[in-house]
Amino acid sequence: MRAGREISFYENMIKYSLDMICSIDRNGCFVYVSDACHSILGYAREEMEGHYYLEYIQQVEQERVRQVAEDTLAGYETTSFECSCLHKDGYLVPVLWAMVWSEDDGVAFCTGRDITEQTRAKEKLREKEDLHSAFIEHGSDMLALFDEQGTYLYNSGATLRDLGYEPESLIGRNAFEYAHPDDTHALMQNHALLLSEAGKVVKQNFRYRSATGEWRWIEATCNNQLHNPHVKALITNSRDITESRNYEQKIIESEQQFKALFDNNPEVVIIENLQGVILDINYAGELLVGLRKEDIVGQHLANFLNPEAAGICLKYLQLASEGQTLQFDVEMVHNQEMLILSITKIPVIVEGKVIKVHSVIRDITALTQSHRIVREQAKKLNTILGSIKDAFCILDKNWIYTYTNSEFEKLLGVYQRDMIGENIWDHMPGGTNSVYYQHYSYAMESGKTVSFEVYSPELKLWLHLKAFPSEEGLLIYFNDITDKVEVRQKLEKLSLVASKTTNGIIITDVDGVAEWVNEGFTNLTGYTFAETVGVKVRSLIHGEETDQRIAATIEEKRRQGVPCTEEILIYNKAGEKRWVLLDCSPVRDDAGNITRSILIQTDITDKVKSQKELEKLSLVASNTTNGVIITDPERRIEWVNKGFVTLTGYSLEDAKGKRPSELLHNPRATTNEFELVKDQMLRGEPVAFEKLNSRKNGEEIWLSMQVNPIFDDQGKLIQYITTQTDITALKKSELELSELTKDLYRHNRDLQQFTYIVSHNLRAPVANILGLTNMLAKLDRTTNVYDKTLDNLIVSTQRLDYILKDLNEILSIRDNKLTLEKEKVDLKSKWQQVIDSLREPLQACGGEITLDIKDGTSVNGNSAYLYSIFYNLLSNAIKYRAAERPLQIGVKLYGSTKLGTFISLTDNGTGFDMKLAGNDMFKLYKRFHASAEGRGIGLFLTKTHLEAMGEISK
């Protein structure tokens, strides 16, 4: 019984022992394991018995444990060792093993004790000892002991070294000597508080003077251990927090800047997690979705998109989560309108891992529609150009062919494929020495349309050419006028047959008494010089059928000194009737008094006869829709047909005696067309030209005019017959085509520039931000490199913001161009508003401005755009002023009934080379002053505002 009780006792001792008791056979397999295996390693006995012991040993320790076990199994003495065993849940358990081999039983008996707590205690003790040693020897903080008065008893630490002091230099010195005067009072109060209670701890921040005299911010924690017999001092642990204070301030500023950029960004900005859940959204996003932020955040972005767009966004979110920056377009329906959105997904990478994704969403519906319109207009333009029956070509600014139509190929006998990209002067006979170059270069340089005729020996054709200048080059039309010129040349040959007649000239005194007559007068009237001088001429040549009313009018105007021209019937010495055109002009002395009169007689007898015959023919002329004008050699109107009345609104009574140029003058018309043919017409040659005229009611009308001279039997020019054809519709079509071409080129230029901004100006700061963000994630925040990189990130972010704002403003101006509201804007008042806005910088630089604009002068334009234009011009004058002289600015208004209102702004600033600037002067992001800051957008916006307003009328 006693033996049984002993066995039971040992069994219970093994069963309830906290140590794991086991036996291992020679093969290293567990034969027996006590129940403590479950509490120590998490295994049941059945899970360990029969298994190899090394399965439960950490792999890195298996070789060492195997060697110990083999020595024990070989019969050596009891072995004790520590190792880490694998718990069933996967973590390591430190175990102290005791192992002995029993030859009688053929097994090794092992006892394993969980020493986790002991191991942890040892590690903590060792860590504490190491930490204390490192803290004392290498710690970044300064450890110091002070007596009750604050005198240094002991000090050490890196902070002390960073302040430039050696430890022994401070021993015996009072700490308050090194404190900033502004902080001394607070330090003394805290010192008194510290001394008020044993074991009292006080924490405070203050400025401390370094060995170089620099004030550094120190964070100090003081503990009153004066009562402790082992210390008997005030223990102070201090560290330099100057950099962290500066860094914290920069972080606050950076966060505020990012928040301002995020909240106020005109584009929609969304922050998503990697599952597409919205973490934050800016105000622009709230407006787009139509919900408040709190109703949006926490929802999936796909909830606000149609299924197709949601699928696309999810696809690109997955790619962005892999670290790619992506841009794509999607379509969505919002408020029953189809929107096209451009989305850029930018991964936020921290320590090489994408933690979230920023999505920048921009509504490009209008831009996409603009591109579509441009393509449609280009297609329409190609259709229009292909339908034009005149030959024409387009040259760029470098004289390179950019387009020719099929009629051009037919007329000149060339192929389009051989001409496109070629220089015109390489194929033009005479090159730059030709008449073509003279006219084309004038049009290119002056910006004015030219029209001329020229004979081409190579083609054996007479050509009429019209060159329309634009910002991109020239649009040139060709017409074959060979038949027309041949007819005109035949008329010129016939004119050689005609002989000349001389006019009668009479000089009278103030009373109308003849002082001198020429031979032409004698030939016309039969009265000699002797018979006429001293006699009133009217008494000699007036007869029974002379119109006394006209005679009285001539005499009255002669006495008054008013020039006049009248037709009157006279009699020659033989009593024969003659019709003359009498032109009477006064001669005045220096005081303006009439001294004599000059009367010029032109024999128009044949003309009057012809006119009577023409009156018979007028029935025919009256039924034509073309206008017909008969003028005298001085181009004064004698007769017009009903077609002229219909075209112009002027009756014969309105027109008679006036020149067509006076009657139909349009202030917007240029004189180029007429000037080119004027000399030919004065030589009596037939001419043809086109001119912009005005109807009686003020409406504009384009007329094609053919002027043919009429000669008498002696070859003297007696009349001009002018036929007029209404070509207003054709001209409008040409002008619309020219404007359409200009718009197409302008849209193409803007599209290229916008693409350049997006691909270069916008991409550069985005790339910088991504690169700098990656760098920041890898840099130590306490280094200067980190701070500098953060500053560069802020600069790149600001630059991106500027570019986005610029693009938004430009697109806004373009989008509002067709709906822009105009009003009467008082120019002087608007300029005064701009001057008041800039008065402070103007006064700061000592500048003076002279405003020369009359009160009440106004134009019809957009008030905000005019303010922006004036503001940009004046601010540029201030910004780019010359340092060596006081700034002088002049603003002056010039008025012209023909050309409109001009505003001139002059200053004596630094200026720039306009020839060097060339066509870049009004382009986006073009700058010409390296000495002053700027973005190169002011002049571009000025030009864009002007183009958006179009014509500004008074």
Side-chain angles (χ1 to χ4, degrees), residues 525-559:
T525 64
Y527 294 100
T528 63
F529 179 87
E531 293 173 333
T532 307
V533 172
V535 178
K536 291 186 176 182
V537 178
R538 64 178 181 272
S539 64
L540 297 177
I541 59 177
H542 288 182
E544 182 181 351
E545 295 182 17
T546 300
D547 191 332
Q548 298 302 317
R549 180 181 58 83
I550 295 176
T553 298
I554 295 172
E555 180 61 16
E556 179 65 21
K557 290 184 177 182
R558 186 195 66 78
R559 287 199 303 267

Side-chain angles (χ1 to χ4, degrees), residues 628-866:
V628 179
I629 308 172
I630 299 177
T631 64
D632 63 18
E634 300 301 322
R635 295 287 291 157
R636 297 188 183 278
I637 297 175
E638 297 178 343
W639 181 84
V640 297
N641 72 335
K642 290 183 180 179
F644 173 88
V645 176
T646 302
L647 283 178
T648 67
Y650 289 103
S651 64
L652 176 61
E653 291 73 22
D654 295 331
K656 194 169 185 180
K658 297 183 176 65
R659 291 186 174 90
S661 59
E662 298 171 350
L663 191 68
L664 305 176
H665 175 69
N666 186 304
R668 292 201 317 111
T670 61
T671 58
N672 292 341
E673 293 286 340
F674 181 74
E675 291 297 328
L676 292 173
V677 300
K678 181 178 179 181
D679 292 339
Q680 292 176 257
M681 188 186 74
L682 294 177
R683 291 196 300 269
E685 299 175 2
V687 296
F689 59 93
E690 298 171 355
K691 196 171 186 296
L692 178 64
N693 297 277
S694 292
R695 291 188 173 98
K696 186 176 182 179
N697 61 6
E699 293 179 356
E700 293 184 346
I701 180 172
W702 274 94
L703 297 175
S704 173
M705 288 174 273
Q706 179 77 36
V707 182
N708 293 292
I710 304 297
F711 301 92
D712 61 13
D713 295 338
Q714 288 75 36
K716 181 180 178 181
L717 179 66
I718 58 174
Q719 287 175 323
Y720 290 101
I721 295 180
T722 302
T723 57
Q724 299 173 322
T725 303
D726 184 357
I727 59 169
T728 305
L730 177 61
K731 271 298 186 178
K732 285 185 178 178
S733 176
E734 290 180 357
L735 290 173
E736 289 173 356
L737 177 61
S738 177
E739 288 300 319
L740 184 60
T741 304
K742 291 179 183 178
D743 285 343
L744 180 60
Y745 279 117
R746 188 180 298 112
H747 283 305
N748 184 56
R749 179 197 63 206
D750 292 347
L751 181 59
Q752 290 176 345
Q753 189 163 11
F754 186 82
T755 304
Y756 172 81
I757 295 169
V758 172
S759 65
H760 180 74
N761 292 45
L762 189 59
R763 178 58 188 165
V766 171
N768 286 343
I769 291 172
L770 293 176
L772 292 171
T773 304
N774 289 332
M775 286 182 64
L776 286 174
K778 300 175 182 178
L779 291 175
D780 185 350
R781 296 192 176 190
T782 62
T783 63
N784 291 332
V785 176
Y786 183 91
D787 293 339
K788 188 171 183 179
T789 304
L790 186 61
D791 291 340
N792 291 335
L793 176 60
I794 293 171
V795 171
S796 295
T797 305
Q798 290 173 340
R799 187 174 299 140
L800 175 61
D801 185 48
Y802 293 151
I803 293 172
L804 290 175
K805 287 179 179 178
D806 292 345
L807 293 178
N808 184 64
E809 185 172 1
I810 293 167
L811 291 175
S812 175
I813 295 171
R814 295 292 167 87
D815 291 343
N816 295 334
K817 181 175 180 180
L818 297 177
T819 60
L820 191 67
E821 294 184 1
K822 294 184 179 181
E823 60 184 322
K824 283 288 184 180
V825 180
D826 186 278
L827 291 179
K828 188 170 185 179
S829 174
K830 187 58 60 179
W831 264 109
Q832 196 61 54
Q833 291 177 18
V834 173
I835 293 170
D836 291 342
S837 298
L838 294 171
R839 190 170 302 281
E840 182 175 346
L842 189 63
Q843 292 176 345
C845 68
E848 294 183 358
I849 184 167
T850 302
L851 190 62
D852 186 7
I853 299 178
K854 293 182 180 179
D855 291 335
T857 303
S858 62
V859 295
N860 188 33
N862 182 272
S863 179
Y865 282 8
L866 286 172

Side-chain angles (χ1 to χ4, degrees), residues 41-154:
L41 297 179
Y43 292 99
R45 291 173 52 192
E46 295 78 11
E47 292 179 288
M48 296 186 67
E49 290 175 350
H51 287 266
Y52 190 50
Y53 73 99
L54 286 180
E55 293 178 14
Y56 305 95
I57 305 299
Q58 184 183 14
Q59 186 173 6
V60 296
E61 297 188 57
Q62 287 182 359
E63 185 59 35
R64 179 177 63 82
V65 173
R66 181 187 290 111
Q67 187 61 46
V68 174
E70 288 178 355
D71 291 344
T72 304
L73 295 176
Y76 292 105
E77 296 180 356
T78 301
T79 303
S80 177
F81 63 93
E82 294 180 9
C83 70
S84 296
C85 296
L86 294 172
H87 193 277
K88 186 177 181 179
D89 291 338
Y91 61 86
L92 297 176
V93 180
V95 178
L96 174 63
W97 291 98
M99 188 175 187
V100 62
W101 173 256
S102 173
E103 189 64 35
D104 294 336
D105 297 308
V107 296
F109 291 102
C110 305
T111 302
R113 177 172 294 174
D114 184 354
I115 58 171
T116 301
E117 296 301 325
Q118 295 92 321
T119 302
R120 289 175 180 171
K122 288 179 182 179
E123 289 177 352
K124 288 182 179 179
L125 180 59
R126 185 166 54 251
E127 289 174 359
K128 185 174 182 180
E129 291 173 349
D130 292 343
L131 179 62
H132 180 72
S133 177
F135 177 76
I136 297 299
E137 298 298 330
H138 308 290
S140 60
D141 292 351
M142 177 173 68
L143 182 64
L145 300 178
F146 298 93
D147 64 12
E148 189 172 355
Q149 287 73 38
T151 303
Y152 279 101
L153 302 175
Y154 170 82

Side-chain angles (χ1 to χ4, degrees), residues 668 700 822 859-862 899-900 945-954:
R668 292 201 317 111
E700 293 184 346
K822 294 184 179 181
V859 295
N860 188 33
N862 182 272
L899 300 178
H945 281 134
L946 286 170
E947 289 177 343
M949 287 190 289
E951 180 179 354
I952 304 177
S953 58
K954 293 185 65 176

Side-chain angles (χ1 to χ4, degrees), residues 324-474:
Q324 301 183 48
T325 297
L326 305 155
Q327 190 279 327
F328 58 96
D329 299 340
V330 298
E331 295 182 352
M332 66 172 285
V333 177
H334 180 64
N335 293 334
Q336 299 183 344
E337 292 184 6
M338 177 62 71
L339 298 181
I340 303 174
L341 305 177
S342 174
I343 303 178
T344 302
K345 288 195 175 290
I346 305 169
V348 179
I349 302 173
V350 177
E351 296 181 354
K353 183 179 179 181
V354 178
I355 61 170
K356 53 189 174 182
V357 175
H358 287 187
S359 296
V360 181
I361 303 175
R362 183 162 58 89
D363 184 355
I364 60 169
T365 307
L367 179 62
T368 304
Q369 291 175 347
S370 297
H371 291 174
R372 178 180 56 78
I373 291 172
V374 169
R375 289 192 296 269
E376 291 176 354
Q377 287 180 340
K379 183 177 179 181
K380 184 185 297 183
L381 179 61
N382 285 331
T383 302
I384 294 173
L385 295 179
S387 64
I388 294 176
K389 298 305 180 182
D390 292 339
F392 74 91
C393 66
I394 301 175
L395 305 176
D396 66 14
K397 289 288 188 180
N398 297 316
W399 305 109
I400 302 299
Y401 284 106
T402 59
Y403 184 84
T404 62
N405 69 344
S406 57
E407 294 299 324
F408 178 91
E409 296 180 358
K410 294 177 184 178
L411 184 62
L412 272 68
V414 296
Y415 292 103
Q416 185 185 57
R417 63 175 179 271
D418 298 330
M419 304 304 293
I420 300 301
E422 293 290 314
N423 190 296
I424 184 176
W425 308 123
D426 294 339
H427 300 271
M428 184 68 69
T432 55
N433 296 320
S434 65
V435 66
Y436 301 97
Y437 182 81
Q438 176 185 352
H439 287 282
Y440 292 169
S441 60
Y442 171 79
M444 190 85 80
E445 293 170 3
S446 67
K448 298 178 180 178
T449 301
V450 297
S451 175
F452 63 98
E453 297 178 0
V454 66
Y455 179 73
S456 172
E458 294 74 23
L459 301 175
K460 297 182 180 179
L461 296 174
W462 276 95
L463 301 175
H464 180 210
L465 298 101
K466 298 178 184 177
F468 299 91
S470 70
E471 291 185 1
E472 309 302 328
L474 286 181

Side-chain angles (χ1 to χ4, degrees), residues 238-255:
S238 308
R239 62 190 182 97
D240 187 342
I241 61 170
T242 305
E243 300 301 330
S244 63
R245 281 181 67 94
N246 294 338
Y247 175 73
E248 288 173 3
Q249 185 61 32
K250 290 180 180 179
I251 288 295
I252 293 172
E253 293 176 359
S254 177
E255 289 176 349

Side-chain angles (χ1 to χ4, degrees), residues 182-348:
D182 294 343
D183 300 333
T184 302
H185 179 69
L187 286 172
M188 296 296 290
Q189 287 182 327
N190 286 331
H191 185 69
L193 180 63
L194 181 66
L195 296 176
S196 66
E197 183 182 344
K200 185 72 174 179
V201 177
V202 176
K203 188 174 181 180
Q204 54 193 338
N205 296 340
F206 59 94
R207 283 163 287 182
Y208 192 93
R209 186 177 69 249
S210 69
T212 61
E214 178 186 3
W215 292 106
R216 306 288 293 178
W217 277 97
I218 301 297
E219 180 186 77
T221 302
C222 301
N223 188 338
N224 184 353
Q225 291 295 317
L226 291 170
H227 65 287
N228 189 331
H230 302 291
V231 181
K232 295 181 181 180
L234 301 173
I235 301 175
T236 303
N237 188 4
S238 308
R239 62 190 182 97
D240 187 342
I241 61 170
T242 305
E243 300 301 330
S244 63
R245 281 181 67 94
N246 294 338
Y247 175 73
E248 288 173 3
Q249 185 61 32
K250 290 180 180 179
I251 288 295
I252 293 172
E253 293 176 359
S254 177
E255 289 176 349
Q256 291 301 319
Q257 289 171 351
F258 176 79
K259 187 176 185 304
L261 176 64
F262 177 80
D263 291 339
N264 301 313
N265 197 318
E267 308 295 350
V268 177
V269 182
I270 296 175
I271 301 176
E272 307 171 75
N273 64 14
L274 301 186
Q275 289 72 45
V277 176
I278 298 174
L279 304 177
D280 202 356
I281 187 170
N282 67 348
Y283 181 68
E286 294 181 57
L287 295 179
L288 178 64
V289 177
L291 297 173
R292 296 179 302 174
K293 178 183 291 189
E294 51 266 30
D295 298 327
I296 301 172
V297 172
Q299 295 198 53
H300 200 287
L301 178 61
N303 295 343
F304 304 101
L305 302 173
N306 56 51
E308 182 180 356
I312 295 173
C313 285
L314 180 59
K315 169 187 171 184
Y316 283 100
L317 176 63
Q318 293 172 347
L319 294 175
S321 65
E322 298 172 1
Q324 301 183 48
T325 297
L326 305 155
Q327 190 279 327
F328 58 96
D329 299 340
V330 298
E331 295 182 352
M332 66 172 285
V333 177
H334 180 64
N335 293 334
Q336 299 183 344
E337 292 184 6
M338 177 62 71
L339 298 181
I340 303 174
L341 305 177
S342 174
I343 303 178
T344 302
K345 288 195 175 290
I346 305 169
V348 179

